[in-house]
Amino acid sequence: CLWLKFSSSLILTKSPGFRSGTKYCLFRGKMKRKLVVYIIISTVFSIVALYFSFKNVPFTALLRYINSINYIWAALGGGVAIVSLILRAVRWQMIVGAIRFVTFWDAFHPLSIGFMINNVFPGRTGEIVRPVILKLRSRRISFTSGLATVAAERLMDLVFLVVLFLYIFYTIDLASGKDFDVSGYHVNRDILLTVLKGFIFLGIVLLMAILALGFQQTRNLSIHLIYKIPALFFFTGVSFKQKISQKLCAPLVAGIEHLSLGFSLVRQPKRIYITSLITGVIWITQALSFYLVALGCPGLNLSFPEITATMILVCFAIIPPSVPGYWGLWEAGGIFALSLFGVTHQEAVGYTLINHVVQLFPVTLIGMVSAWATGMTLGQVSMASHRMEANKV
């Protein structure tokens, strides 16, 4: 929620149409401070992660290892990563289709541009940009509803990753009480289980929120409770209660209605089933991409399940704030995961670096091509974001 609010505010700050008077100056100053704080925090996270990742690896030895990699396998891994991106567009098209039909390209271009922006700008702004571009292209889906479809998509990813995380306990020999020494830090089954419980709790909370908005009965109850808020200020006059109703309750109810459209998927079991299958294929394809890169790296004699476990731990590692492209946290997560399988530090660093480039470069390039093909610029997206905020759509 914090980064969604920050990202949307950051886009609005850059909008030329928002620049009017003292209000804009105060808003802009506040957003600049937020941006500086976010950049400082994310940079510190990434620098610390990079330091611990590379501190025990001689630079010349790392270069020799990188030169020994078979890049044909890396190229194949990059091709499979593109297939995964295409599958994500198909899945998002189906999720959005629960509201209104959109073409594959209406889903593909916003998604690829959003992923590209996540790789080159801070704040994971790409998740906000996606529904903005979707509205500009389709003209029929509100920004709030589009944002809700992104949230539903991310929930599917989280659920599938948690299921795969459970698989780690059958893939890695983590007997209770057995510790693994990872760069001076001790990790055991109990620690990983605690992390898993946290993500399961988060998934349950998100699922309950989506169900509450997706069904008419629970949504009506939420709206009824919102309209009861002015009654809590019984000690104030009628005019103040009316302001609360107009300024707080009405926007909240409008937001709930738009969000409920985005979560229309929960009322269509067949569509949930198909998108769940696609989600499984997406992550299997993503793991295959990781595995193909590993085949070209000397010293990485890991099975497909072990590489899948590595991918999962990388995904959880890049959740905290980091510089664009998740540099530092990606490497730390990959090296930590590979160390659990007995891979040497040098080989783990070499593989993780090359795999990081393989996963990011094709997606970023495709996003740039999509931006060129659609004629979308950051200025257009910023101005559209401001208009949507002003109109509460």
Side-chain angles (χ1 to χ4, degrees):
C1 291
L2 288 174
W3 70 255
L4 282 173
K5 180 180 178 182
F6 163 75
S7 301
S8 58
S9 302
L10 180 60
I11 292 175
L12 291 174
T13 306
K14 295 179 179 179
S15 172
F18 194 73
R19 301 181 179 183
S20 58
T22 306
K23 184 178 180 181
Y24 166 73
C25 294
L26 293 173
F27 184 83
R28 184 179 182 184
K30 184 179 180 181
M31 287 304 102
K32 279 187 174 181
R33 289 192 294 273
K34 285 186 178 182
L35 177 60
V36 170
V37 171
Y38 181 87
I39 290 176
I40 291 174
I41 293 174
S42 60
T43 302
V44 169
F45 266 94
S46 294
I47 290 175
V48 171
L50 283 171
Y51 169 74
F52 283 105
S53 299
F54 290 88
K55 67 174 184 176
N56 295 324
V57 181
F59 184 71
T60 54
L62 178 60
L63 283 180
R64 282 197 302 269
Y65 180 81
I66 290 176
N67 288 332
S68 69
I69 293 174
N70 186 339
Y71 286 95
I72 294 177
W73 289 109
L76 291 174
V80 174
I82 294 174
V83 174
S84 179
L85 180 69
I86 294 171
L87 289 171
R88 286 182 178 276
V90 172
R91 179 183 63 175
W92 195 38
Q93 179 192 11
M94 287 209 64
I95 293 174
V96 175
I99 308 172
R100 279 192 175 91
F101 172 79
V102 294
T103 67
F104 169 78
W105 295 111
D106 284 338
F108 179 79
H109 288 311
L111 183 138
S112 58
I113 293 172
F115 274 50
M116 179 267 293
I117 288 178
N118 280 342
N119 292 341
V120 298
F121 287 101
R124 291 175 180 167
T125 315
E127 307 296 357
I128 300 293
V129 168
R130 263 210 272 170
V132 173
I133 299 177
L134 178 67
K135 178 174 174 58
L136 292 175
R137 288 183 61 84
S138 68
R139 305 284 180 183
R140 295 172 297 169
I141 299 173
S142 71
F143 167 75
T144 309
S145 297
L147 190 61
T149 64
V150 174
E153 180 193 47
R154 290 308 185 196
L155 177 61
M156 283 189 164
D157 286 333
L158 176 62
V159 170
F160 199 83
L161 281 175
V162 167
V163 172
L164 286 178
F165 202 163
L166 287 171
Y167 183 66
I168 290 178
F169 292 93
Y170 298 95
T171 303
I172 308 174
D173 182 20
L174 289 178
S176 182
K178 182 179 179 181
D179 287 344
F180 288 84
D181 185 7
V182 183
S183 298
Y185 295 92
H186 293 276
V187 179
N188 55 41
R189 181 186 181 90
D190 296 333
I191 292 176
L192 289 179
L193 186 59
T194 300
V195 174
L196 176 61
K197 289 179 179 178
F199 281 108
I200 291 176
F201 175 76
L202 175 61
I204 292 174
V205 171
L206 290 174
L207 182 60
M208 290 177 62
I210 288 177
L211 291 175
L213 293 176
F215 291 102
Q216 186 68 41
Q217 294 80 0
T218 52
R219 187 165 65 251
N220 288 342
L221 177 61
S222 300
I223 292 173
H224 176 73
L225 292 175
I226 288 173
Y227 278 127
K228 290 291 185 181
I229 291 177
L232 298 176
F233 298 89
F234 59 89
F235 49 86
T236 62
V238 176
S239 61
F240 182 80
K241 293 179 182 178
Q242 289 177 342
K243 286 183 179 180
I244 292 292
S245 180
Q246 294 172 358
K247 300 296 184 180
L248 178 63
C249 299
L252 281 176
V253 170
I256 286 176
E257 294 294 349
H258 284 296
L259 284 172
S260 67
L261 286 176
F263 296 139
S264 299
L265 187 72
V266 301
R267 298 190 295 272
Q268 302 182 29
K270 182 179 178 180
R271 197 176 290 267
I272 292 177
Y273 174 73
I274 295 174
T275 51
S276 298
L277 287 180
I278 296 174
T279 300
V281 176
I282 286 170
W283 285 106
I284 291 172
T285 305
Q286 195 70 55
L288 178 61
S289 177
F290 275 58
Y291 182 68
L292 289 172
V293 177
L295 289 178
C297 295
L300 260 74
N301 301 316
L302 300 181
S303 65
F304 184 76
E306 290 169 336
I307 287 294
T308 302
T310 300
M311 177 195 70
I312 296 167
L313 291 176
V314 167
C315 290
F316 286 127
I318 62 177
I319 290 177
S322 65
V323 296
Y326 319 111
W327 292 99
L329 296 183
W330 179 296
E331 281 67 30
I335 294 166
F336 160 71
L338 292 173
S339 68
L340 298 179
F341 300 108
V343 177
T344 66
H345 197 70
Q346 176 180 303
E347 292 166 348
V349 171
Y351 164 75
T352 307
L353 270 177
I354 296 303
N355 186 46
H356 194 174
V357 174
V358 166
Q359 302 301 324
L360 260 64
F361 179 74
V363 172
T364 303
L365 183 61
I366 290 173
M368 291 178 177
V369 172
S370 286
W372 172 80
T374 57
M376 289 290 174
T377 65
L378 288 178
Q380 289 175 325
V381 174
S382 297
M383 293 181 68
S385 301
H386 169 54
R387 289 196 299 269
M388 293 173 195
E389 176 70 13
N391 295 326
K392 302 296 181 184
V393 296

